[in-house]
């Protein structure tokens, strides 16, 4: 039997596992995921009776295969579309009607993590959560295979194929410390390290009242404001009780880097003040509660060099995710996972 390992259980990894279940039914797929949940940066939390997507805000209908996947091939029960438009605001906080009123945007009643859950459930892959990969080891010579060691010191493998889904800087670190003496390793470390990321610091704020505005989200068009994005989770069916508001406020890259290690409560208070100013409702400065999250590697600014990806493939090593697609978007990560799943199966 062919043994395949996937490090990371993001949406890209889930899509690859989904393809492999059909295209390589005899392969045994083992997934090691660092965190306690699935779907990585497309992250959902539940608190009290509210559900919110605090990483990726929605899935965009920008890739035919991904649209077909979520609307036809996977269970579409609970898929919810955001009907309200996205408006823009400028550096002074002035709001204007936006540019993408026709763009389709989805989440699920239970949140965006449903995508990875619904993909993995259609596979026989074994997913081990809270199992960070710490060491990658190349074993054998001609028929080289891969072993992984997790943070608890347990060894996994050997595997015939290794798929790496963590964001580029984390993948670069896994390769830098890999027990694999090869010029190819050095080349791959360099290629993955070259992918730069935008940092986003997120505050989620709950209010026990409604706001009366015509938009779902507000994006800072000139990128000069401390806030990059504000959206209303109540526009997603099933997320927020009637008569309430749950704002997701994402700071821009500069603000996020500067405030990353500062007091989360003070950061959240500052972002709530900004939200009140931009939306034009003073009550928003005083949330009932807040939740916070820093995303150091939020969005890749570019993609990894395609030649490096091809060279790794020769060694039975595959990279996958938004940084391989070259676009920091959920649909791009899923589409790349579908491609990589097909490529892995073709090479077996
Ligand atoms: C704040 C924010 C807002 C966003 N907004 C949008 C949006 O509105 N629309 C949109 O389309 N996209 C958005 N995105 C981007 C979107 O979330 C990503 O493009 C997509 O989720 C990336 O999926 P992935 O599979 O490439 O990687 P990830 O989701 O990063 O998955 C990688 C997985 O690897 C795991 N991992 C890391 N290191 C290890 C290790 N050593 N061992 C084991 N596992 C490991 C991680 O825990 C994670 O689960 C946003 C992202 C952020 C952070």
């Amino acid at each position: 039997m062919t043994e395949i390992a996937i490090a990371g259980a993001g949406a890209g990894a889930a899509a690859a596992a989904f393809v492999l279940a059909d295209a390589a039914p005899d392969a045994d797929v083992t997934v090691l995921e660092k965190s306690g949940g699935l779907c990585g940066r497309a992250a959902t939390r539940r608190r009290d009776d509210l559900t919110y997507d605090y990483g990726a805000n929605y899935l965009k209908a920008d890739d035919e295969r991904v649209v077909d996947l979520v609307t036809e091939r996977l269970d579409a029960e609970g898929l919810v579309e955001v009907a309200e438009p996205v408006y823009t605001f400028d550096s002074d906080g002035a709001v204007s009607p936006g540019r993408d009123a026709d763009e389709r945007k989805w989440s699920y009643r239970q949140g965006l993590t449903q995508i990875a859950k619904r993909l993995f459930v259609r596979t026989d892959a074994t997913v081990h959560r809270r199992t960070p990969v710490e060491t990658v080891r190349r074993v054998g010579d001609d028929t080289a295979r891969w072993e992984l060691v997790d943070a608890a010191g347990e060894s996994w493998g050997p595997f015939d194929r290794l798929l790496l889904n963590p964001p580029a800087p984390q993948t670069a670190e896994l390769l830098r410390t890999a027990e694999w003496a090869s010029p190819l390793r050095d080349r791959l470390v360099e290629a993955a390290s070259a992918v730069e990321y935008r940092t986003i610091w997120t505050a989620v704020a709950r209010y026990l009242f409604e706001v009366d505005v015509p938009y779902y989200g507000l994006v800072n068009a000139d990128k000069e404001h401390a806030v990059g994005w504000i959206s209303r989770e109540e526009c997603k069916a099933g997320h927020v009780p009637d008569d309430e508001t749950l704002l997701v406020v994402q700071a821009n890259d500069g603000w996020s880097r500067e405030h990353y290690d500062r007091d989360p409560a003070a950061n959240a208070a500052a972002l709530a003040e900004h939200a009140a100013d931009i939306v034009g409702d003073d009550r928003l400065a005083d949330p009932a509660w807040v939740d916070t999250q820093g995303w150091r590697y939020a969005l890749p600014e570019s993609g990894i060099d395609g030649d490096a990806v091809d060279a790794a493939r020769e060694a039975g090593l595959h990279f996958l995710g938004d940084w391989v697609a070259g676009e920091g978007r959920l649909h791009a990560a899923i589409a790349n996972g579908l491609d990589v799943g097909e490529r892995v199966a073709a090479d077996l």
Side-chain angles (χ1 to χ4, degrees):
M1 178 170 297
T2 304
E3 297 290 339
I4 299 175
I6 309 182
F18 176 78
V19 168
L20 286 167
D22 261 354
D26 295 334
D28 198 26
V29 179
T30 303
V31 183
L32 305 185
E33 164 56 43
K34 178 170 78 168
S35 72
L38 302 178
C39 220
R41 280 170 283 151
T44 307
R45 267 187 202 140
R46 258 165 286 284
R47 178 161 166 188
D48 300 337
D49 45 359
L50 293 88
T51 299
Y52 46 98
D53 299 314
Y54 64 101
N57 300 291
Y58 54 82
L59 174 72
K60 207 160 70 152
D62 238 22
D63 183 289
E64 286 290 314
R65 284 175 310 164
V66 177
V67 172
D68 182 55
L69 192 66
V70 296
T71 58
E72 302 290 337
R73 297 178 68 195
L74 295 178
D75 178 9
E77 171 81 27
L79 186 66
V80 294
E81 193 163 344
V82 177
E84 293 85 349
V86 174
Y87 280 20
T88 62
F89 63 98
D90 64 18
S91 53
D92 298 327
V95 171
S96 331
R99 49 189 186 212
D100 69 342
D102 296 330
E103 191 180 67
R104 300 186 75 185
K105 305 177 229 27
W106 286 299
S107 181
Y108 290 86
R109 293 184 79 87
Q110 307 98 311
L112 275 175
T113 49
Q114 284 294 307
I115 293 183
K117 290 178 183 165
R118 289 175 193 214
L119 287 163
F120 277 126
V121 86
R122 301 272 297 267
T123 76
D124 290 329
T126 320
V127 183
H128 301 270
R129 303 179 195 211
R130 297 185 186 82
T131 311
V133 174
E134 265 196 8
T135 307
V136 172
R137 184 181 290 149
R138 177 90 160 162
V139 288
D141 291 322
D142 292 347
T143 54
R145 300 174 84 194
W146 300 96
E147 274 181 6
L148 302 174
V149 183
D150 68 26
E154 190 177 338
S155 291
W156 300 78
F159 299 101
D160 303 288
R161 299 287 182 270
L162 172 60
L163 281 59
L164 295 178
N165 179 222
Q170 292 165 335
T171 290
E173 186 59 13
L174 282 175
L175 292 169
R176 199 184 59 74
T177 57
E179 295 174 19
W180 178 25
S182 158
L184 176 57
R185 185 199 66 152
D186 302 341
R187 178 177 169 201
L188 299 178
V189 171
E190 197 182 321
S193 304
V195 182
E196 294 193 347
Y197 275 74
R198 224 184 297 165
T199 296
I200 296 179
W201 207 91
T202 300
V204 178
R206 181 191 188 182
Y207 306 90
L208 304 175
F209 54 82
E210 277 181 293
V211 289
D212 183 20
V213 291
Y215 48 78
Y216 152 64
L218 290 172
V219 64
N220 177 217
D222 58 19
K223 304 204 185 309
E224 299 281 335
H225 200 286
V227 171
W229 169 266
I230 301 174
S231 53
R232 301 165 54 224
E233 282 290 305
E234 61 272 22
C235 295
K236 298 173 183 169
H239 281 220
V240 181
D242 289 348
D243 310 325
E244 294 197 16
T245 300
L246 192 71
L247 294 188
V248 174
V249 186
Q250 293 171 345
N252 78 3
D253 180 65
W255 194 98
S256 298
R257 286 175 194 268
E258 195 184 328
H259 292 77
Y260 203 86
D261 295 317
R262 295 199 192 163
D263 174 27
N267 282 353
L271 293 179
E273 291 272 356
H274 278 305
D277 279 351
I278 297 164
V279 175
D281 186 333
D282 291 344
R283 298 173 301 168
L284 297 177
D286 187 22
W289 53 247
V290 294
D291 191 5
T292 63
Q293 178 76 36
W295 302 95
R296 194 172 294 284
Y297 307 121
L299 301 174
E301 300 273 24
S302 60
I304 186 174
D305 168 28
D307 291 343
V309 173
D310 292 342
R313 181 180 175 181
E314 299 288 316
L317 177 63
H318 297 261
F319 303 134
L320 76 165
D322 57 357
W323 58 282
V324 184
E327 190 183 1
R329 290 284 160 237
L330 181 53
H331 68 267
I334 297 171
N336 178 257
L338 297 175
D339 287 343
V340 170
E342 279 164 19
R343 258 177 254 152
V344 172
D347 288 353
L348 293 178

